[in-house]
Amino acid sequence: MQSWVTFQISVPKELVALMSANRDGEMPDPEDSSRKIYCFSQNVPIPCYLIALVVGALESRKIGPRTLVWAEKELVDKSAYEFAEAEAMLKTAEDLAGPYVWGQYDLLVLPPSFPYGGMENPCLTFVTPTLLAGDRSLSNVIAHEISHSWTGNLVTNKTWEHFWLNEGYTVYLERRIGGRLFGEQFRHFQALGGWRELQNTINTLGDKNPVTNLIPNLNEVDPDVAYSSVPYEKGFALLFYLEQLLGGPDIFIGFLKAYVQQFAYKSVITEDWKKFLYSYFKDKVDVLDKVDWNSWFHAPGMPPVMPVYDMTLANACVALSQRWIKAKESDLGSFSSADLKEMSSHQLIEFLALLLLESPLPVSHVQRMQQVYDFNAINNSEIRFRWLRLCIKAKWEEAIPLALKMATDQGRMKFTRPLFRDLYSFDKCRDLAVKIFLEHRASMHPVTSMLVGKDLQQEQ
């Protein structure tokens, strides 16, 4: 897109228009007194997929010197509280990656059918209301979208085969922000959670599936169908591995900053990135030559090497998950609410994620878990999602209505697709899952509807 573009949007005057651009004010529509015109300008060149426009009954709250949060009035105060760390994250990102060139950084909370965690539209990040946990524990998604202001929006993948350059890099920067704000152990804990997420994805897709390549062949493939956590987490794992190989976080962040400077306002492919890596670390070519590049880029399944993780925050999750996996019926009385007393929301997510990588638990175990931990009462979407998956995999019939409700109350594909897939795999509720999907299909985002339809063999 050319470098200076202005927009004028006419809307009914009771509504608000927002764009992926800086707001330049509003004026009455000279041709219709019931409407007003909103003006916008974008002075940074952007690829066309980052042009976004929204119109709605929106209100805003100021949460930082360059940030308003926008939402419908029912959610605006809750959103302002949840995302209050945005400015601290922006400042940290600037320190790590260089100046923020976009001017304004606003957030918009979309309706629940929005299919992604967030979308990094310049000047106006879109986010899902499933982030509104009430305790700011899911704010890593905001750090992720902020990070895209450098990796993705300033340096962009040339084609979707090289999507990992957008997403793997952005996850890396997101976790560096988390490390600065919450400590290096927290960064490692989030990184380990990402590795588990990758294991889960590859278990679902199959470890020989070519879409699990870091650089997949998308010839005749719809990128929406190929979309998964692979470019995010396999891409991150490569960068985290290289960080450890090349001298640690302080040395590697110098490379990231130089990479952004080198390719700002350009589109790149993996070969461009790799050549720049070799030229930046010209004194470590022998180390780089030992990397199995072919397996990292072109082999399906898990990466050829697992990075090293600090296990401090993960150990409690591993220990508790192992107790449940090994527990016999006679051991179930040994569990109590005290098991979770010292655990954060992030650790509860990891505990449940570890159980999901194992064979399904017996129904008696998930029933006891509900008795002592009362997971049904937790509204944190990441915890609730994993808990309900655990229940459905254990074939606990009482969880069916709760899982169907979560799958349809919101449309974030990260949650909706696995829940529907699990329900479809449970013979007791397969027909009900299909029936509920068909009833809700018309109100789903088209991409969600298409992909859940594929999963449930209800393609249109």
Side-chain angles (χ1 to χ4, degrees), residues 256-328:
L256 185 144
K257 204 177 237 182
Y259 164 75
V260 170
Q261 278 173 344
Q262 176 73 18
F263 294 107
Y265 314 108
K266 295 188 182 82
S267 297
V268 292
I269 60 170
T270 302
E271 200 48 42
D272 302 321
W273 168 83
K274 191 178 164 195
K275 274 186 190 151
F276 186 71
L277 177 76
Y278 267 77
S279 71
Y280 185 89
F281 288 109
K282 53 183 177 290
D283 56 333
K284 294 181 176 165
V285 167
D286 54 331
V287 177
L288 288 169
D289 280 344
K290 292 195 181 89
V291 175
D292 183 356
W293 295 108
N294 194 54
S295 293
W296 274 103
F297 292 148
H298 305 296
M302 290 301 286
V305 183
M306 183 178 179
V308 178
Y309 300 91
D310 179 306
M311 296 295 290
T312 309
L313 294 174
N315 285 334
C317 315
V318 173
L320 186 58
S321 66
Q322 284 301 314
R323 273 183 66 202
W324 280 98
I325 290 159
K326 290 173 180 160
K328 300 181 176 63

Side-chain angles (χ1 to χ4, degrees), residues 42 67 93 162 221 260 268 281 311 380 410 430 435:
Q42 180 53 270
T67 304
H162 301 276
V221 176
V260 170
V268 292
F281 288 109
M311 296 295 290
N380 179 306
Q410 55 75 50
R430 173 172 295 182
K435 177 176 174 285

Side-chain angles (χ1 to χ4, degrees), residues 87-219:
E87 180 61 24
M89 291 175 174
L90 272 165
K91 280 189 172 136
T92 306
E94 287 187 294
D95 194 39
L96 291 165
Y100 179 78
V101 301
W102 306 92
Q104 193 71 9
Y105 180 78
D106 283 1
L107 288 153
L108 168 71
V109 180
L110 262 73
S113 59
F114 183 57
Y116 303 102
M119 178 60 210
E120 65 273 15
N121 306 305
C123 312
L124 183 69
T125 282
F126 286 7
V127 293
T128 167
T130 63
L131 301 182
L132 300 173
D135 62 358
R136 300 178 180 161
S137 61
L138 305 181
S139 64
N140 65 296
V141 174
I142 306 303
H144 182 90
E145 304 311 330
I146 283 171
S147 299
H148 268 306
S149 307
W150 291 267
T151 50
N153 297 5
L154 210 52
V155 183
T156 308
N157 51 226
K158 195 171 276 184
T159 71
W160 297 116
E161 278 95 352
H162 301 276
F163 190 42
W164 82 271
L165 290 171
N166 273 24
E167 294 300 349
Y169 248 111
T170 297
V171 173
Y172 180 81
L173 195 47
E174 162 209 331
R175 290 183 180 145
R176 291 301 302 262
I177 294 170
R180 283 279 183 95
L181 295 178
F182 308 114
E184 194 64 2
Q185 286 182 351
F186 179 76
R187 177 171 84 110
H188 276 252
F189 180 69
Q190 295 286 79
L192 185 63
W195 184 267
R196 307 256 190 259
E197 188 65 35
L198 183 60
Q199 286 176 305
N200 213 321
T201 297
I202 285 168
N203 288 347
T204 303
L205 295 173
D207 63 3
K208 301 286 185 286
N209 190 328
V211 301
T212 66
N213 291 14
L214 190 56
I215 307 174
N217 178 0
L218 295 181
N219 191 27

